[in-house]
Amino acid sequence: MKIGGVEVKPCEEVLVLPRLDGDIVIRAKAVTDMTPFDALCPAPVAPGIRTKDGFKPNLKDENYMSLSAHYAEQRMAFLVLSSLEPSNIEWDTVKLADPSTWSNWPKELKANGLSDVECNRIVLCVMQANSLDEEKLRVAREVFLLGQGK
């Protein structure tokens, strides 16, 4: 698909972590389809009771709140791992087909020599690939308007 003559591709961000023996290049692409996540990890459903007004979910249920927190962590881990696929990371303990291993990604990065700051930069890179902020839009507008003026 093209829009205005430009082929539409998912956003990609690049992060370079300097090393004496060769820089580590992290590539993060936007995740455009969460269907695989939804298939592996269905959203939790709040318990509730039926009343004369219909079903009333109990969103304060402790078990539901715990499941929801775990679901949010799984969703974030899926986003990180899927975004980092272009980096060709060879995980030791993370298996993309096994959601129970997804939460190992930060531990594994740290165990292999990345600092907390570097791990945070990787998460930031993933978030930048999967979001738009006003600064990106401002820069894109300026570049577009400069091209229009020529």
Side-chain angles (χ1 to χ4, degrees):
M1 176 173 131
K2 290 185 179 184
I3 298 177
V6 177
E7 185 177 345
V8 179
K9 297 180 190 175
C11 179
E12 187 170 309
E13 295 287 331
V14 176
L15 170 66
V16 179
L17 301 174
R19 294 292 188 272
L20 292 176
D21 55 348
D23 295 339
I24 298 170
V25 178
I26 301 293
R27 295 185 188 293
K29 69 171 174 54
V31 177
T32 59
D33 183 14
M34 292 296 284
T35 306
F37 172 77
D38 296 332
L40 290 169
C41 302
V45 178
I49 59 170
R50 293 219 178 271
T51 67
K52 63 181 172 94
D53 298 326
F55 183 79
K56 298 287 183 188
N58 179 7
L59 302 178
K60 303 271 187 209
D61 178 78
E62 286 184 28
N63 189 43
Y64 172 73
M65 290 172 59
S66 173
L67 289 172
S68 292
H70 179 68
Y71 176 80
E73 289 170 13
Q74 291 289 85
R75 188 173 173 85
M76 180 63 179
F78 177 85
L79 184 71
V80 168
L81 294 170
S82 296
S83 289
L84 293 176
E85 281 182 2
S87 298
N88 296 319
I89 299 172
E90 297 175 20
W91 300 103
D92 294 326
T93 62
V94 175
K95 307 293 178 228
L96 296 177
D98 183 2
S100 68
T101 68
W102 294 350
S103 62
N104 293 344
W105 72 266
K107 292 176 235 155
E108 192 166 325
L109 290 178
K110 290 174 189 173
N112 286 285
L114 293 177
S115 68
D116 282 338
V117 172
E118 290 170 324
C119 289
N120 289 340
R121 292 299 301 248
I122 290 171
V123 171
L124 179 62
C125 184
V126 167
M127 295 284 85
Q128 288 172 331
N130 285 284
S131 64
L132 275 177
D133 59 25
E134 195 53 43
E135 180 63 16
K136 276 186 188 178
L137 294 172
R138 183 188 63 73
V139 169
R141 269 192 302 273
E142 288 176 4
V143 169
F144 170 75
L145 293 173
L146 283 173
Q148 292 289 83
K150 290 182 181 178

